[in-house]
Amino acid sequence: MSNKQMYWFPAKRYGWGWGLPLSWHGWVVLAVFVGLLGVGFLIFSPNKELGHLLAYVAFLSSLLIAVCWLRGEPPRWRWGSGDGGDSRDRSQIGG
């Protein structure tokens, strides 16, 4: 068995955050998130209970972010270079 840590969610190549899952664990988390979102739309009618629906979506989103934070690759700002750092030529930025 390998001692290498397996991340459920990889860091995005560009920007900050996580991409699509790398393992089946991550896919299960994502599927449960989407399924619970659907259930929320069935329980809380957007026409009648918009506040409750938004609170429910915010709660589920915060849980998903927490799982990504705990089980995903550490997030940092990325520009797409192989080392994950900011390797752009600064002379080309700006006007």
Side-chain angles (χ1 to χ4, degrees), residues 48-82:
K48 297 179 182 177
E49 299 177 281
L50 183 60
H52 291 106
L53 177 63
L54 291 177
Y56 179 76
V57 170
F59 175 72
L60 287 180
S61 298
S62 64
L63 287 179
L64 179 63
I65 291 170
V67 170
C68 289
W69 191 277
L70 294 172
R71 302 301 303 183
E73 190 174 354
R76 65 178 187 267
W77 191 260
R78 296 172 187 256
W79 294 103
S81 63

Side-chain angles (χ1 to χ4, degrees), residues 29-47:
V29 168
L30 193 59
V32 167
F33 173 76
V34 170
L36 288 175
L37 276 179
V39 168
F41 276 88
L42 294 174
I43 293 173
F44 304 113
S45 172
N47 295 330

Side-chain angles (χ1 to χ4, degrees), residues 15-27:
W16 191 94
W18 300 275
L20 290 175
L22 289 174
S23 70
W24 68 269
H25 304 90
W27 284 107

